[in-house]
Amino acid sequence: MTNDADRKRDVATTFGNATDGYRDSAVFEEGADLERLVDWTAGATRALDVATGAGHVASAVAERDVTRVVAADLSPEMVATATSEYDGLEGAVTDAERLPFATDSFDAVTCRFAAHHFPDPESFLAEVKRVLAPDGVLAFEDLAVPDNSELADYVNRIERLRDPGHAETYSPAQWRDWLESAGLTIEAVRETSRRLEVDAWLERMDVPDDRRREIRSLLSNVPAELEDAFDFRYADDGERLESYRTGVVLLRARA
C-alpha cells in the first residue's frame, strides 16, 4: 500500500510538471481513436473522464452536448489545465482506484492512455462498474504489449525508464479478462497502433540525459520480433531510431 501511495504521489508530481507537453501534444488532442471513444459515449448525459490529463477526451465528450462532464485526475495541475482550457468541465482531483462519486452516478466513463499508471487496474475497473449506471458505457483506450511475456517485460522496462510513474502496460487479452471479471460486458475491441516520434516522446516527459541514453541503448538492441512488430524506422544513416509504432487497445464495455 505504501509503495502504491508513493508511486501515485510521484505520478501526480511528474504529470503536474508536464502539463504543457500533454496539453499541446497531437498524440492526445486528435486522432480517429479519440473520435471513436467519444462516439462510444453517444447518448450519455453524465460522463466521467478518469485520468483526464490535459482534458482532451473530456472536452470532446462535452462538445456532444453532454449535460455534465467531470474531468478527474490525480494531478491538481492537470485538472486545473483541463478546466481552464476547456469550457463546461467540472474538475475533480481524485485517485482512479478510489472514485469519490456515488454509485450509478454516470452514463459513461472514459479513460484514455492512462491505465498503465494505475498500480491496481482491477480496483479501477471495480470503481468504474460501481459509478456507472445500469447499461452505462466504459470507453477505454491504453497502450498494449504483445502476449509474449518476455517482449512485454522489455517494453515495460523502457517505459519505466522514460516515466518512473509507469506501473505496467498489459496485453489486450489481460484487459478483456479483467473487464469480464469486473462484471462489464465487452461490446467492442479494437487493436491498433500509434506511431511515436522518439525524440518528442522523450521530450514530453523531460527525460534526463542518462536515462535517454539507456533507453536509446535498449531500443537499439530490441529483440528482432519486437522490432518487426513495432515497425521501427531509422534515420538516413540507419543507426538512429526515429520512430516506432506502439500497440494500442480500445475497448467498449457496458455495465
Side-chain angles (χ1 to χ4, degrees):
M1 182 67 73
T2 301
N3 287 341
D4 285 353
D6 290 343
R7 177 181 289 118
K8 289 174 182 178
R9 279 194 295 270
D10 290 343
V11 168
T13 299
T14 298
F15 281 88
N17 293 331
T19 54
D20 290 348
Y22 276 77
R23 181 193 62 211
D24 300 332
S25 172
V27 171
F28 297 100
E29 67 181 358
E30 60 187 37
D33 57 323
L34 175 58
E35 291 300 315
R36 184 183 298 274
L37 282 191
V38 176
D39 287 345
W40 280 349
T41 69
T45 59
R46 304 164 297 163
L48 169 67
D49 185 34
V50 177
T52 195
H56 300 112
V57 178
S59 171
V61 171
E63 288 176 358
R64 302 294 180 94
D65 296 324
V66 178
T67 304
R68 181 190 184 203
V69 180
V70 179
D73 202 281
L74 192 61
S75 164
E77 292 85 358
M78 283 294 194
V79 173
T81 296
T83 54
S84 63
E85 288 289 321
Y86 303 107
D87 294 333
L89 300 183
E90 177 183 331
V93 178
T94 183
D95 185 338
E97 296 166 7
R98 294 174 179 81
L99 298 174
F101 307 105
T103 299
D104 300 346
S105 292
F106 299 97
D107 308 308
V109 173
T110 56
C111 183
R112 181 175 183 245
F113 290 138
H116 53 276
H117 292 112
F118 302 164
D120 187 353
E122 290 174 281
S123 290
F124 156 66
L125 291 176
E127 282 291 87
V128 169
K129 177 64 164 61
R130 181 184 64 79
V131 302
L132 274 175
D135 207 38
V137 168
L138 168 64
F140 175 89
E141 180 177 11
D142 201 18
L143 304 175
V145 291
D147 285 324
N148 181 303
S149 61
E150 291 186 8
L151 297 182
D153 288 346
Y154 202 96
V155 172
N156 278 303
R157 182 182 174 189
I158 292 170
E159 290 285 357
R160 291 187 188 106
L161 282 169
R162 171 185 175 263
D163 173 10
H166 180 96
E168 187 161 357
T169 300
Y170 299 97
S171 69
Q174 179 64 81
W175 279 114
R176 290 196 296 269
D177 287 347
W178 279 335
L179 285 162
E180 291 170 353
S181 295
L184 294 160
T185 301
I186 298 172
E187 296 185 329
V189 180
R190 177 172 172 77
E191 295 182 35
T192 182
S193 62
R194 177 177 284 272
R195 182 158 294 281
L196 294 177
E197 302 297 329
V198 176
D199 285 339
W201 175 70
L202 294 172
E203 191 61 35
R204 191 158 58 242
M205 293 300 291
D206 194 22
V207 179
D209 289 343
D210 57 336
R211 290 196 175 196
R212 292 189 190 214
R213 287 191 292 271
E214 188 171 357
I215 289 168
R216 283 282 184 185
S217 176
L218 287 169
L219 288 171
S220 296
N221 294 283
V222 297
E225 186 177 350
L226 191 62
E227 183 175 8
D228 290 342
F230 280 21
D231 187 22
F232 278 29
R233 293 185 183 176
Y234 295 88
D236 293 340
D237 59 10
E239 296 291 332
R240 183 176 178 81
L241 179 66
E242 286 191 332
S243 69
Y244 68 92
R245 301 199 71 87
T246 185
V248 173
V249 62
L250 296 91
L251 300 109
R252 172 186 166 120
R254 196 173 293 275

